[in-house]
């Protein structure tokens, strides 16, 4: 922290945080802020008795957030009859809420699988958090089995809107973002209260309440073309959760209900890969029936196969592929002015 | 696998809080064993133990007296590099997961829910319930839909479990089909795409295969060869090769992440406020046409000229399919390769 350079700022941050957790777990009745700042390692060295401790108090506020971020539940207790008096507020960490339930056990196979699950994320907050969860799991001392074959799974969150949306989802903050629907010439600003972030068939979607439409909507992160901005409004998510499950179920239902037919060139890469796509069925005459969620995403995929595939139905898919190929041919035609 | 290296004070705190119950459960453990268990360098364990050993609670005197602090067997630590906690303070159990930590692991598990390792029973469902119960608040609503994982995975796994080679027909991106015999080394994935890296008997080298390009998979009677066993696989799925083609692309800034895998260390040259030029490296033009055609309108090949011409021809051939009229069963035009 740049703001303080007192000589005793030498106590490392992790030592101060560790000491704070220990002190708050050990206390039965809680400690007041003043008691914490004057006695706990890392604060006491900087505490000025009877003086101005404003910067130290701010430090304590930030430390509280850092500790709560780790899933450590810090309680505040108001002494009876003294409600509203901040100076008498007592802080503590209840052992029962801190400890992982003692009957929670994991087999070696489960530890292996969780270790693998933690490697799925290689970037961003999901990676840092799953690594931390894994460290906590390892504290149980359970050995993991070596899997039969090594796995290196990797799931990305490439859209830059992912982290700000995840933060808004946690804080229940309504956000706005420019959303470009295919076929529209300009993005439109949408106001959304985020309820879930789900990855469906390789694509990240935001599920939330569209405040202008006053109804739930699903947005493709790839079509959010500018940074999401938090509004000052917060909202109450539905009781009991289940939004992610609902969003995935809706996307699945959509995927099952929409069918496209394409003709593939026998023996081509398109013939092999499209036939292997989940939900595909191969018909006579090199025709494959595909299931899909979004006509424009399927059109991108089909266009990348070029002459190996011809989109037959529905008509809007066929038109979307032709449009892409036309743009592509035009953009790569020999430049006249060169 | 990359080892865990705490960067932030928060991560260091989580490590300290996790190390204490582990050490408590082990009366005496070597620094080396603890390091191996947590997947960290031994020095990180020693530093943490030194800090734990002098930490504690203010206590009744508020003076951090001896009894208020953790203690360890210092002789064992200094002389034998062994850790034995002799006095505990305040905590003795593992900390709970945060809602976000539990959510991150749950989403990772969901992604892997089709792996053959867990096909026989609902391991994922039971683990998700355990993680939720071990979290300090309800895990946040981040989820990954269960993909239908490729059926090839089960056969690949059987090949490894029985130490027999795997044979399959493979169509590479150049359009060449061939029966390949390999010893699978590692299964990798990138979002919805799955790959296997294997020792290829015919090539006498490690090759990467896309699962959805493999067909006619068979576990052979041939024992897996020894050659592949000692190969150290690189961390990244796509390696640049000196034979790669360099192609200059112009694209909108927003589309940059979509070509991330091919950019490598290429610098970005801005042409106007929202368009940039980058150099991508690809094995052959087959990969280039795939990449650029999937980004129609977003990315354009600037050069070299034959790369542009290849993309134009590819798009033109594709359009010719459609010129014959709406979905009539005409024989497919032979694609130019």
């Amino acid at each position: 922290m740049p703001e303080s350079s007192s000589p005793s700022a030498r106590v490392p941050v992790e030592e101060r945080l560790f000491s704070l957790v220990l002190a708050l777990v050990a206390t039965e009745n809680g400690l007041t802020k003043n008691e914490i700042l004057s006695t706990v390692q890392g604060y006491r060295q900087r505490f000025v008795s009877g003086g101005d401790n404003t910067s130290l108090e701010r430090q304590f506020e930030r430390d509280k957030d850092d500790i709560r971020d780790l899933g450590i539940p810090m309680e505040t207790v108001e002494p009876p009859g003294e409600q509203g008096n901040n100076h008498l507020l007592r802080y503590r960490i209840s052992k029962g809420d801190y400890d992982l339930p003692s009957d929670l056990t994991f087999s070696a196979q489960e530890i292996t699988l969780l270790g693998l699950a933690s490697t799925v994320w290689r970037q961003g907050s999901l990676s840092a958090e799953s690594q931390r969860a894994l460290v906590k799991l390892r504290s149980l001392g359970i050995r993991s089995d070596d899997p039969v074959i090594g796995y290196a799974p990797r799931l990305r969150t490439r859209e830059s809107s992912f982290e700000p949306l995840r933060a808004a989802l946690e804080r229940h903050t309504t956000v706005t973002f420019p959303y470009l629907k295919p076929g529209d010439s300009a993005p439109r600003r949408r106001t959304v209260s985020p309820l879930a972030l789900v990855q469906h068939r390789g694509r990240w979607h935001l599920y939330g309440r569209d405040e202008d439409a006053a109804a739930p909507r699903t947005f493709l992160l790839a079509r959010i073309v500018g940074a999401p901005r938090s509004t000052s409004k917060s909202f109450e998510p539905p009781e009991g959760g289940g939004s992610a499950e609902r969003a995935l179920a809706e996307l699945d239902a959509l995927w099952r209900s929409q069918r496209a037919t394409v003709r593939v060139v026998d023996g081509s890469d398109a013939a092999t890969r499209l036939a292997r796509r989940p939900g595909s069925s191969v018909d006579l005459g090199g025709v494959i029936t595909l299931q899909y969620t979004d006509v424009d995403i399927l059109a991108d995929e089909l266009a990348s196969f070029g002459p190996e595939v011809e989109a037959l139905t529905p008509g809007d898919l066929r038109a979307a592929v032709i449009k892409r190929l036309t743009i592509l041919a035009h953009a790569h035609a020999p430049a006249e002015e060169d | 696998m990359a080892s865990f290296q705490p960067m932030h004070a928060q991560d260091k705190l989580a490590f300290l809080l996790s190390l204490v119950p582990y050490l408590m459960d082990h009366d005496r453990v070597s620094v080396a064993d603890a390091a191996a268990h947590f997947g960290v360098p031994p020095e990180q364990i020693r530093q943490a133990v030194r800090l734990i050993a002098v930490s504690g609670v203010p206590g009744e005197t508020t003076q951090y007296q001896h009894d208020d602090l953790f203690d360890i067997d210092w002789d064992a630590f200094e002389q034998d590099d062994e850790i034995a906690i002799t006095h505990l303070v305040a905590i003795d159990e593992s900390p709970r997961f945060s809602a976000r930590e539990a959510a991150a692991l749950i989403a990772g598990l969901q992604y892997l829910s089709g792996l053959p390792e867990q096909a026989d029973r609902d391991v994922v469902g039971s683990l998700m319930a355990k993680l939720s119960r071990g979290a300090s608040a309800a895990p946040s609503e981040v989820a990954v839909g269960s993909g239908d994982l490729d059926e090839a995975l089960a056969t690949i796994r059987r090949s490894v479990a029985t130490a027999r080679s795997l044979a399959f027909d493979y169509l590479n991106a150049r359009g060449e089909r061939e029966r390949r015999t390999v010893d699978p080394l590692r299964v990798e994935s990138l979002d919805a795409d799955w790959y296997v890296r294997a020792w290829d008997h015919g090539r006498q080298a490690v090759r990467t295969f896309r699962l959805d390009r493999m067909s006619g998979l068979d576990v052979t009677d041939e024992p897996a060869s020894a050659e592949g066993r000692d190969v150290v696989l690189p961390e990244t799925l796509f390696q640049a090769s000196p034979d790669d083609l360099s192609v200059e692309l112009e694209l909108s800034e927003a589309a940059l992440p979509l070509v991330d895998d091919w950019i490598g260390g290429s610098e970005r040259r801005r042409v106007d406020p929202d368009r940039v030029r980058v150099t991508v490296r690809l094995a052959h033009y087959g990969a280039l046409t795939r990449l650029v055609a999937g980004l129609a309108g977003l990315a354009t090949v600037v050069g070299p000229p034959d790369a542009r011409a290849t993309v134009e021809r590819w798009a033109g051939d594709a359009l010719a399919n459609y010129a014959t009229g709406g979905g009539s069963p005409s024989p497919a035009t032979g694609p130019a390769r």
Side-chain angles (χ1 to χ4, degrees):
Chain A
M1 295 294 131
E3 65 184 70
S4 162
S5 52
S6 65
S8 33
R10 256 184 231 156
V11 176
V13 185
E14 65 271 24
E15 183 174 353
R16 183 180 70 234
L17 294 175
F18 187 50
S19 303
L20 179 57
V21 172
L22 295 177
L24 294 181
V25 170
T27 172
E28 243 169 77
N29 303 319
L31 299 173
T32 64
K33 193 195 285 184
N34 208 54
E35 284 168 337
I36 291 168
L37 301 187
S38 61
T39 66
V40 172
Q41 176 72 358
Y43 298 101
R44 60 181 179 142
Q45 287 86 347
R46 289 162 57 188
F47 183 74
V48 186
S49 186
D52 176 20
N53 289 294
T54 323
S55 98
L56 199 55
E57 286 185 25
R58 276 205 302 269
Q59 181 69 67
F60 173 64
E61 295 303 319
R62 284 194 297 267
D63 290 350
K64 273 195 317 192
D65 289 343
D66 279 359
I67 286 175
R68 284 188 173 132
D69 259 6
L70 286 184
I72 299 170
M74 197 186 296
E75 308 172 335
T76 49
V77 189
E78 289 189 321
E82 297 282 354
Q83 276 84 356
N85 188 339
N86 267 344
H87 286 283
L88 295 174
L89 207 60
R90 305 183 81 82
Y91 296 90
R92 64 189 288 268
I93 294 170
S94 138
K95 195 88 174 57
D97 294 338
Y98 171 90
D99 291 349
L100 201 62
S102 56
D103 61 334
L104 201 60
T105 55
F106 296 89
S107 68
Q109 189 205 11
E110 287 177 325
I111 293 285
T112 306
L113 201 51
L114 288 167
L116 198 55
S118 76
T119 65
V120 163
W121 312 107
R122 310 272 177 93
Q123 62 198 134
S125 62
L126 285 163
S127 167
E129 283 154 14
S130 49
Q131 288 302 326
R132 247 183 351 233
L134 200 60
V135 170
K136 291 181 181 176
L137 272 172
R138 290 203 176 116
S139 74
L140 297 170
I142 305 159
R143 282 176 192 283
S144 56
D145 286 342
D146 279 335
V148 167
I149 181 168
Y151 286 103
R154 184 170 166 205
L155 197 49
R156 293 177 290 190
T157 51
R158 290 193 286 191
E159 295 87 352
S160 56
S161 56
F162 185 87
E163 295 289 346
L165 290 175
R166 186 166 184 232
L169 176 70
E170 307 277 341
R171 293 192 207 110
H172 311 310
T173 310
T174 303
V175 291
T176 73
F177 49 78
Y179 193 69
L180 184 63
K181 276 178 81 168
D184 288 2
S185 54
R188 186 155 72 81
R189 189 156 280 279
R190 313 291 278 261
T191 304
V192 179
S193 299
L195 298 174
L197 278 164
V198 297
Q199 204 259 25
H200 185 257
R201 308 218 169 257
R203 306 278 172 162
W204 281 101
H205 299 74
L206 169 71
Y207 176 77
R209 186 183 143 88
D210 184 324
E211 294 299 340
D212 300 321
R217 290 280 187 274
T218 303
F219 302 89
L220 256 170
L221 261 59
R223 292 185 186 144
I224 297 179
V225 292
R229 284 210 296 264
S230 293
T231 66
S232 54
K233 274 176 49 193
S234 60
F235 63 95
E236 273 302 312
E239 271 307 299
S243 294
E245 219 171 307
R246 197 168 316 123
L248 285 172
E250 282 180 17
L251 287 165
D252 260 340
L254 187 63
W255 181 80
R256 272 193 304 270
S257 70
Q258 301 193 124
R259 286 198 169 74
T261 56
V262 301
R263 185 181 2 257
V264 292
V265 173
D266 191 34
S268 65
D269 190 34
T272 316
R273 284 173 59 192
L274 292 174
R276 287 289 286 277
R277 218 168 167 270
S280 287
S281 60
V282 181
D283 309 326
L284 291 174
V287 173
I288 297 178
T289 304
L290 305 170
Q291 293 183 310
Y292 67 98
T293 324
D294 185 282
V295 72
D296 286 285
I297 288 176
L298 181 60
D300 285 341
E301 200 181 327
L302 295 179
S304 79
F305 286 112
E308 295 175 3
V309 65
E310 177 188 359
L312 303 175
T313 63
D316 56 348
L317 175 68
R318 188 175 167 88
V321 174
I322 292 175
K323 186 176 163 200
R324 279 161 179 70
L325 294 170
T326 310
I327 292 173
L328 191 68
H330 188 74
H332 292 88
E336 308 224 331
E337 57 272 84
D338 273 358
Chain B
M1 214 152 284
S3 65
F4 170 67
Q5 309 224 313
M7 302 285 285
H8 304 292
Q10 261 184 318
D11 292 324
K12 290 185 181 171
L13 174 62
F15 184 62
L16 292 169
L17 296 174
S18 301
L19 191 56
V20 170
Y22 171 81
L23 294 176
M24 195 200 77
D25 282 344
H26 296 73
D27 291 340
R28 193 166 286 271
V29 64
S30 70
V31 165
D33 284 353
H37 181 76
F38 280 93
V40 299
E43 190 47 34
Q44 192 178 319
I45 298 279
R46 287 186 204 108
Q47 278 176 10
V49 169
R50 273 183 217 117
L51 174 53
I52 291 168
V54 298
S55 294
V57 297
E60 276 179 23
T61 61
T62 73
Q63 291 302 310
Y64 287 92
Q65 298 291 312
H66 184 72
D67 275 357
D68 303 323
L69 306 177
F70 282 92
D71 204 2
I72 60 164
D73 180 341
W74 283 98
D75 287 345
F77 185 59
E78 303 284 0
Q79 288 158 27
D80 307 327
D81 214 17
E82 282 185 348
I83 315 157
I85 289 203
T86 55
H87 188 237
L88 272 174
V89 185
I91 56 167
D92 47 15
E93 297 282 347
S94 304
R96 283 175 183 265
F97 310 111
S98 73
R100 291 170 65 106
E101 288 164 5
L105 278 190
I106 287 174
L109 280 172
Q110 289 171 327
Y111 176 59
L112 301 174
S113 61
L115 285 190
E117 267 67 13
Q118 26 179 312
D120 44 349
R121 56 200 184 90
D122 188 17
V123 188
V124 171
S126 121
L127 271 178
M128 280 166 57
K130 286 186 183 183
L131 289 173
S132 302
R133 205 153 65 78
S136 57
S140 42
E141 300 265 5
V142 176
V144 178
S146 62
D148 307 277
L149 286 196
D150 207 285
E151 63 227 25
L153 279 175
T155 316
I156 292 170
R157 186 173 187 271
R158 195 151 44 83
S159 148
V160 176
T162 57
R164 293 282 183 269
S165 295
L166 180 75
F168 53 90
D169 293 319
Y170 195 71
L171 182 73
N172 67 21
R174 287 188 181 85
E176 301 147 358
R177 186 182 295 274
E178 206 183 324
R179 187 85 181 157
R180 311 283 279 261
T181 303
V182 308
D183 303 322
L185 301 172
R186 188 157 80 196
V187 170
E188 307 206 2
S189 77
L190 206 51
D191 303 328
D193 299 328
W194 288 77
Y195 303 83
V196 61
R197 295 175 108 172
W199 178 259
D200 186 318
H201 290 205
R203 307 286 193 282
Q204 284 292 298
V206 173
R207 288 287 184 267
T208 302
F209 303 93
R210 264 189 83 107
L211 260 55
D212 64 359
R213 284 198 177 122
M214 297 163 76
S215 55
L217 278 85
D218 254 327
V219 178
T220 66
D221 295 331
E222 198 180 326
S225 71
E227 286 111 315
R229 224 168 290 153
D230 304 323
V231 177
V232 179
L233 294 175
E235 282 290 316
T236 52
L237 198 50
F238 302 109
Q239 264 86 49
S241 135
D243 307 332
D244 280 351
L245 304 162
S246 284
V247 175
E248 192 177 20
L249 286 188
E250 180 174 318
L251 67 173
S252 69
E253 186 132 48
L256 265 178
L258 303 176
V259 297
D260 213 26
D261 294 328
W262 296 272
I263 297 181
S266 160
E267 56 171 307
R268 288 129 201 229
R269 302 168 293 278
R270 188 168 300 280
V271 269
D272 68 44
D274 53 32
R275 294 191 67 87
V276 286
R277 288 187 178 189
V278 290
T279 304
V280 292
R281 295 175 61 80
L282 299 141
H284 44 79
Y285 280 151
L288 175 70
T289 46
R290 286 261 182 287
L291 175 67
V292 179
L295 297 169
L298 292 174
T300 310
V301 175
V302 179
D306 58 331
R308 275 181 67 90
T310 306
V311 174
E312 193 204 5
R313 194 163 58 241
W314 173 258
D317 288 346
L319 281 170
N321 275 343
Y322 294 91
T324 56
S328 67
S330 65
T333 52
R337 282 221 179 82

